[in-house]
Amino acid sequence: ISLNSILMAQYDVNEDESKVPPLALPDPFISKEGKVITSISEWENIRRPELINLFTEEVYGPIPGDFDEIKFEEVSESQNPLEGLAIFKEIDIRVSRKGQKHSMRLNLFLPQNSSKPSPVILLVNHREKSEDGKIAEDGYWPVENIIKRGFATASFHGETVAPDDAERFSEGVISNLYPEELPNPAGMRTFGAWGWAAMRAMDYFEKDPLIDAKKSTIVGHSRSGKTALWTGAIDERWSVVISNESGCGGAALSRRKFGETVKIINNAFPHWFNDNFKNYADHEESLPIDQHMLAMMMAPRSVYFSSAREDRWADPKGEYLSLKIGSRIYSEIYEQPVAFPDDFENLKAPVLQKHSGYHIREGKHNLTLEDWNHFMDFIELNQ
Ligand code: GTR
């Protein structure tokens, strides 16, 4: 029995499209003061910071960027994994703040024979715990395919900064470096911690001469897909942000209340979001934001969402709509039109275009090689 089926039995879960409430989404282009936002500078100086602030306060908590020192130590290097195609490095990232320390491990594969610095793809990993990077079997992290297309790829496990556990989540970077966040109802929780780790990985990429950090992608699946989105919103160094089947609190619109809802997710995973987000359980309509606005935070960089047909818990249509509606940012502010078909139900081929793309594949909730192949097509188009 899966956790989702236990939750389904416990709550009144809607998976019937005809019962989705009419969508009344908050307007991304009207500021808190009622100002209509029409230019890039109004967007970047007024509305975007306002929205980042709302997501921080009401949903995710911050990803703190202040610390005193960061050090990178290569703890191992092997020249011959994947039959000589790659170089594999394990890097310990050690960060200190106010006399306290935290250390996390990054696994990195680089193409062996590249004549120039390689673009990099970071996978935020919450699944298999593997110290040697061998989590490729089921396509979750298909290192060989990624390397063969000329990308470097790195991964860290969320547990190295925050255990995915309601009791123990703070026993990592939160207690070690940012203890003042814990009593704050708007404070840092696991998405803040996992995002913090992704940002420290980026700090490393910027220092490694074999990596082209200006061409960097963050990928996450499900809870890590929510992490990838929040990180990409906060940290504008990522040029492409990819969120796979991230559902409630990630890609999907909360106001649709289809599949997992704000109430269900906060009851099941109280340590993921900050305490303020719990106030919106069964009150999605009073959220000052919705997830289409999170998608918009990536602009003018590129953003990609993906869904699986049978993953109704994550609300594929809600994922698609938030991207489609959010992509107005490119057309209306950055003058870089993108177009998403209206007919979601009959969508077959991936929507591959500059700035914003999407695919839905057959099958269940998972991250597969098929997903990765579309991601890499999108990245190539956007770099
Ligand atoms: C589910 C959770 C989802 C999703 C998923 C996952 O149980 O309800 O929000 O994040 O876990 O991370 O695989």
Side-chain angles (χ1 to χ4, degrees):
I1 302 177
S2 71
L3 173 63
N4 293 357
S5 53
I6 297 171
L7 294 172
M8 292 273 301
Q10 225 177 310
Y11 297 93
D12 184 17
V13 175
N14 178 40
E15 292 196 348
D16 177 351
E17 191 59 38
S18 70
K19 297 200 180 122
V20 170
L23 268 187
L25 295 176
D27 191 327
F29 297 128
I30 299 185
S31 80
K32 273 195 196 160
E33 311 267 280
K35 185 174 171 48
V36 180
I37 302 296
T38 57
S39 69
I40 292 177
S41 83
E42 287 166 346
W43 172 256
E44 292 184 354
N45 297 314
I46 302 171
R47 188 57 171 155
R48 189 181 187 283
E50 209 170 85
L51 289 170
I52 288 285
N53 203 35
L54 286 170
F55 278 111
T56 307
E57 288 288 313
E58 304 300 325
V59 184
Y60 300 103
I63 305 181
D66 67 304
F67 48 79
D68 300 325
E69 193 180 38
I70 185 163
K71 283 189 187 157
F72 308 107
E73 187 192 338
E74 198 178 302
V75 288
S76 84
E77 172 165 337
S78 58
Q79 288 288 341
N80 252 344
L82 308 177
E83 280 138 24
L85 282 176
I87 302 168
F88 175 61
K89 296 188 197 183
E90 288 173 295
I91 295 124
D92 274 353
I93 303 181
R94 301 186 206 284
V95 183
S96 58
R97 178 179 186 251
K98 298 186 175 166
Q100 303 297 310
K101 289 184 174 41
H102 188 82
S103 170
M104 60 171 276
R105 170 67 53 86
L106 186 70
N107 294 317
L108 170 66
F109 288 88
L110 294 145
Q112 176 76 266
N113 294 316
S114 185
S115 54
K116 51 181 187 358
S118 305
V120 63
I121 307 177
L122 176 76
L123 173 70
V124 180
N125 173 25
H126 65 268
R127 266 204 191 161
E128 294 85 346
K129 278 188 218 162
S130 158
E131 290 301 314
D132 58 5
K134 285 188 202 124
I135 53 171
E137 288 74 16
D138 63 350
Y140 182 71
W141 192 26
V143 171
E144 186 168 343
N145 302 72
I146 301 172
I147 290 285
K148 282 185 173 156
R149 283 182 72 160
F151 296 98
T153 185
S155 176
F156 68 86
H157 199 286
E159 299 274 327
T160 72
V161 283
D164 194 356
D165 182 289
E167 304 293 317
R168 297 187 305 108
F169 74 94
S170 68
E171 295 170 11
V173 71
I174 301 177
S175 296
N176 289 345
L177 298 191
Y178 305 101
E180 71 278 14
E181 292 292 334
L182 257 189
N184 179 359
M188 175 190 201
R189 301 293 183 266
T190 60
F191 288 133
W194 299 332
W196 182 90
M199 288 181 67
R200 303 295 73 82
M202 171 59 91
D203 295 342
Y204 171 80
F205 298 154
E206 292 185 317
K207 290 274 157 23
D208 189 330
L210 298 178
I211 291 179
D212 184 352
K214 295 250 173 314
K215 294 185 178 171
S216 53
T217 299
I218 182 167
V219 173
H221 165 64
S222 207
R223 67 199 68 186
S224 299
K226 306 180 217 284
T227 307
L229 274 178
W230 182 227
T231 309
I234 294 280
D235 184 355
E236 296 177 63
R237 294 175 295 177
W238 301 96
S239 59
V240 179
V241 177
I242 298 178
S243 191
N244 189 63
E245 300 162 26
S246 60
C248 181
L253 293 169
S254 301
R255 279 170 175 75
R256 280 172 48 83
K257 303 183 210 181
F258 186 104
E260 189 173 37
T261 60
V262 172
K263 178 177 181 174
I264 299 173
I265 201 168
N266 278 305
N267 286 349
F269 308 100
H271 54 296
W272 284 1
F273 302 90
N274 71 20
D275 306 351
N276 288 345
F277 194 42
K278 284 134 188 107
N279 298 332
Y280 300 98
D282 286 337
H283 294 286
E284 287 85 349
E285 62 295 337
S286 51
L287 275 164
I289 45 77
D290 210 318
Q291 301 307 102
H292 62 306
M293 292 162 154
L294 188 60
M296 295 172 95
M297 295 298 104
M298 312 313 150
R301 299 163 296 140
S302 304
V303 56
Y304 191 94
F305 288 177
S306 38
S307 311
R309 197 85 58 187
E310 291 172 42
D311 184 21
R312 296 171 68 73
W313 184 248
D315 185 14
K317 186 170 182 179
E319 297 178 317
Y320 182 70
L321 285 179
S322 76
L323 188 67
K324 179 174 164 52
I325 297 166
S327 71
R328 287 174 59 201
I329 184 71
Y330 298 102
S331 327
E332 293 176 34
I333 300 292
Y334 288 99
E335 294 177 16
Q336 295 162 336
V338 298
F340 284 96
D342 287 328
D343 186 3
F344 171 74
E345 277 69 27
N346 290 310
L347 198 66
K348 294 266 162 5
V351 184
L352 266 185
Q353 59 191 330
K354 280 239 165 231
H355 310 299
S356 188
Y358 177 85
H359 76 257
I360 181 163
R361 61 159 172 76
E362 296 309 314
K364 294 191 179 13
H365 187 67
N366 199 0
L367 176 55
T368 68
L369 181 57
E370 182 182 345
D371 297 313
W372 278 98
N373 287 333
H374 297 315
F375 299 164
M376 291 189 279
D377 291 343
F378 181 72
I379 297 168
E380 282 172 3
L381 191 67
N382 279 283
Q383 283 183 339

